[in-house]
Amino acid sequence: MNTLLILSYLIGSVTFVVGLKMLSHPDTARKGNLVAAFGMLVSILATIFLYGHHGEDYSTKLIWIFGGIAVGTIAGWITAKRVEMTKMPELVCLFNGMGGACAALIGLMEYGANLGNTMSLATIVAGMIIGSISFSGSIVAFLKLNGTMNKPIRLPYYNIINSIVMLGLAAMSVWVVMTGQPESMAYALFGVAVIYGLLFVFPIGGADMPVVISLLNSFTGLAAAFGGFLYDNQVMLTGGILVGSAGTILTLAMCKAMNRPLSNVIFGAFGGGASGPAQDIEGSIKDISIYDTAVLCNYANKVTIVPGYGLAVAQAQHIIHELEKTLEANGVEVKYAIHPVAGRMPGHMNVLLAESNVAYEKLVEMDDINPEFPNTDVVIVVGANDVVNPAAKNDPASPIFGMPILDVEQAKHIIVNKRSMNAGYAGIDNHLFYNPKTSMLFGDAKDVLTKLVAELKAM
Amino acid sequence: MEIFSFLAEHIEMVYIVILSIFVGVELIEKVPAVLHTPLMSGANAIHGVVIVGAIIVMLHIDVNNTLGMILGFLAVILGTLNVVGGFVVTDRMLEMFGKKKKK
């Protein structure tokens, strides 16, 4: 291998490590991303110009390669720039699927050329299968996140079916590799792996998609690493393994935030698999008008806003900032209580509120805000549901039992803005709404908040 | 055993794998929840390095192998989407964090 090429790959590998390191601190995160991107550029250019083995039709190939890069760059750049911040998780998911598909295609192309070399075939097949699962799984996760496929699909005995397909896939791979089957079998394997990816994500509920995406993310990393093994390519290997291990840790961290083991996310059906009868709900629901809400907030000392994904869906993140400024101008102390899994991904809500210029100090994490709720006069819950559901604390039969929640019940008044009485993302009822201290403010978040701000300004 | 001789031949790669696993774990363990999404997105862009593999395939495939060329071309597009889209989205997310710093 060319010395310059080796050096470029070294630069690539180091920038990935440094980039990831910087990405894990708020101050350096943005630079870290650019550092990794630079390393990627170096690695790609070095591969194109220094790799060698390019035969006689180098110029033709260059045209095709640069053509592909141009198409991918333009499409990727435009999509990434144009997408709304609320759709970010879907997009990450989609790009992950593209990477998986890329790994799968590499496997398909390399298979025929490596017949007769069992170890190479094993590497190729492993990368291809993992890539395919990541690809089809990501597509399903994408569809679930954007609402196209909003109900978990559970075939009868889906756990058994999935396990059989998985074992079948593994057995078939071993047979194909050991006996060196012809190329057509590689395509068959690819097909089965794609089907397994679909089956893998189908039964998992939308609320768990962040965990699934993170998991599939590390799968794609692993697929890239197998490519690294195949080509003795250090940058693919380091990049892939780094993402594989970092992605796994991230997945576990997310599960921890939801207080559910990973196995429960994958094999246990969320919102449906709960055992025992749900507790009966007593009490009734109390409405509140916008005017009364305005009065209540205006004469409060301390107001805490609990934003949820519903806020983002209604595009109300700007108006909520307006509400905060109006209240502060009237001498009310306002804070935001951010649940670790508010939004669709951990940290998603912070990104959304940051977009509308909410000050960083105002976003308080769950553990820090929970002790403050008893001294809080008014809590305004906007578009959040499961993260404030007391069932997580006191109903062992609830599917979210054990998940840490925001203790909004401790506050003096709770105002919940919701579009309707429909259940939350996890599909379960919320006792909070029936609490005597709770008042419901029905309506579209953006609409209601705009009117609320107008009332407050008139006071 | 073929597998042992394979590992012995690629012993440097084996070391890289093991050490990289530790580095990855070490890097991520102390990350605040706020940064989970950007970090996942950044990691997502990094595994786009698989595009290097797609380019390598394109370089040593026979130009007259039409199916191969088409698949390779597709793989390059998909890999680029992963890389470019991944880094740009991450940058956009982190841009939001930078904005509030100035205040």
Side-chain angles (χ1 to χ4, degrees):
Chain A
M1 226 192 265
N2 185 315
T3 321
L4 208 54
L5 183 66
I6 293 175
L7 202 63
S8 309
Y9 283 167
L10 184 63
I11 294 174
S13 304
V14 172
T15 57
F16 291 166
V17 176
V18 175
L20 266 184
K21 172 90 197 153
M22 291 170 81
L23 266 167
S24 50
H25 293 283
D27 299 336
T28 52
R30 198 172 177 197
K31 255 188 229 151
N33 185 49
L34 293 178
V35 167
F38 170 75
M40 186 69 77
L41 185 69
V42 170
S43 312
I44 291 174
L45 291 179
T47 310
I48 296 175
F49 294 113
L50 304 171
Y51 192 79
H53 303 296
H54 39 59
E56 293 136 36
D57 301 299
Y58 188 44
S59 49
T60 320
K61 287 171 177 174
L62 276 189
I63 294 172
W64 282 93
I65 291 172
F66 277 108
I69 291 180
V71 173
T73 305
I74 294 169
W77 194 287
I78 292 177
T79 336
K81 277 282 179 197
R82 289 226 176 131
V83 74
E84 287 162 29
M85 289 309 275
T86 45
K87 301 256 189 285
M88 220 48 99
E90 281 104 303
L91 200 64
V92 173
C93 183
L94 200 62
F95 288 142
N96 179 50
M98 303 292 108
C102 180
L105 288 179
I106 294 173
L108 281 180
M109 284 181 288
E110 284 293 347
Y111 188 90
N114 285 277
L115 275 171
N117 183 341
T118 314
M119 280 320 290
S120 294
L121 278 192
T123 320
I124 291 166
V125 166
M128 183 184 81
I129 289 177
I130 297 171
S132 318
I133 294 174
S134 179
F135 163 65
S136 59
S138 295
I139 299 302
V140 177
F142 169 78
L143 293 174
K144 285 192 177 225
L145 277 174
N146 78 5
T148 314
M149 195 186 280
N150 49 13
K151 286 258 155 51
I153 300 171
R154 289 196 198 100
L155 302 167
Y157 308 111
Y158 67 93
N159 267 339
I160 299 171
I161 294 180
N162 282 8
S163 308
I164 291 174
V165 175
M166 188 177 77
L167 288 176
L169 181 61
M172 189 176 163
S173 325
V174 171
W175 172 69
V176 167
V177 169
M178 296 311 283
T179 57
Q181 292 297 310
E183 207 171 348
S184 55
M185 283 316 285
Y187 285 88
L189 264 183
F190 167 71
V192 178
V194 165
I195 292 170
Y196 179 67
L198 300 176
L199 291 175
F200 177 70
V201 186
F202 272 153
I204 303 176
D208 284 331
M209 277 312 121
V211 178
V212 173
I213 298 172
S214 180
L215 191 66
L216 293 176
N217 193 23
S218 52
F219 278 12
T220 312
L222 209 57
F226 275 113
F229 244 107
L230 178 66
Y231 297 124
D232 261 327
N233 188 303
Q234 295 87 350
V235 78
M236 285 178 80
L237 194 66
T238 39
I241 293 285
L242 268 181
V243 175
S245 68
T248 309
I249 296 297
L250 203 57
T251 312
L252 295 175
M254 287 183 187
C255 289
K256 209 173 149 204
M258 295 196 287
N259 198 26
R260 298 175 56 223
L262 182 61
S263 58
N264 193 323
V265 172
I266 297 172
F267 300 112
F270 202 28
S275 55
Q279 285 179 3
D280 281 334
I281 294 178
E282 287 168 13
S284 59
I285 285 191
K286 199 169 60 190
D287 267 7
I288 189 167
S289 70
I290 289 173
Y291 179 75
D292 290 338
T293 311
V295 173
L296 201 59
C297 293
N298 204 27
Y299 295 101
N301 289 318
K302 210 166 163 186
V303 171
T304 301
I305 298 168
V306 178
Y309 188 67
L311 172 104
V313 171
Q315 293 290 316
Q317 63 267 45
H318 295 282
I319 191 72
I320 199 109
H321 181 47
E322 189 73 26
L323 173 69
E324 169 217 321
K325 281 193 294 186
T326 315
L327 284 172
E328 293 251 296
N330 294 359
V332 184
E333 187 190 341
V334 185
K335 277 183 186 160
Y336 295 85
I338 310 290
H339 190 274
V341 293
R344 279 291 180 273
M345 280 192 186
H348 189 204
M349 195 48 67
N350 305 64
V351 174
L352 291 175
L353 289 173
E355 188 197 9
S356 41
N357 289 321
V358 172
Y360 190 68
E361 314 80 65
K362 294 220 168 282
L363 307 177
V364 189
E365 291 199 27
M366 181 174 66
D367 293 337
D368 299 321
I369 196 99
N370 268 344
E372 289 191 30
F373 279 118
N375 317 320
T376 303
D377 300 300
V378 182
V379 169
I380 307 177
V381 180
V382 187
N385 191 344
D386 299 324
V387 297
V388 292
N389 193 339
K393 272 174 132 176
N394 47 33
D395 181 4
S398 172
I400 60 165
F401 182 71
M403 179 173 94
I405 55 159
L406 292 161
D407 292 326
V408 295
E409 273 188 312
Q410 309 280 330
K412 298 190 182 88
H413 296 279
I414 305 135
I415 293 170
V416 180
N417 169 242
K418 258 173 88 49
R419 274 224 299 249
S420 64
M421 271 311 288
N422 287 341
Y425 210 51
I428 44 183
D429 226 327
N430 195 335
H431 295 246
L432 179 74
F433 305 156
Y434 302 89
N435 188 309
K437 288 194 283 186
T438 306
S439 313
M440 303 297 290
L441 184 61
F442 287 113
D444 173 74
K446 193 174 184 178
D447 200 36
V448 165
L449 291 173
T450 313
K451 285 180 189 154
L452 183 59
V453 170
E455 283 290 352
L456 279 167
K457 281 192 171 153
M459 275 179 185
Chain B
M1 279 292 280
E2 205 172 349
I3 192 158
F4 290 120
S5 59
F6 177 81
L7 288 180
E9 258 174 59
H10 294 80
I11 194 67
E12 286 166 39
M13 305 298 258
V14 176
Y15 273 97
I16 295 179
V17 169
I18 295 170
L19 294 176
S20 299
I21 291 174
F22 282 107
V23 172
V25 170
E26 208 48 43
L27 285 175
I28 302 305
E29 237 169 7
K30 309 145 210 135
V31 181
V34 184
L35 281 176
H36 279 178
T37 300
L39 191 67
M40 190 208 285
S41 178
N44 177 45
I46 290 177
H47 69 50
V49 73
V50 69
I51 194 203
V52 167
I55 295 171
I56 294 176
V57 179
M58 283 290 268
L59 287 175
H60 64 59
I61 206 168
D62 181 9
V63 185
N64 301 317
N65 177 351
T66 317
L67 178 65
M69 286 298 280
I70 293 172
L71 290 182
F73 180 63
L74 260 179
V76 171
I77 293 180
L78 293 170
T80 315
L81 268 172
N82 187 176
V83 171
V84 175
F87 281 120
V88 174
V89 161
T90 313
D91 188 63
R92 262 191 74 194
M93 285 185 204
L94 294 167
E95 189 185 354
M96 308 298 167
F97 284 86
K99 236 181 1 188
K100 72 196 157 198
K101 276 264 132 59
K102 277 182 231 143
K103 289 185 111 185

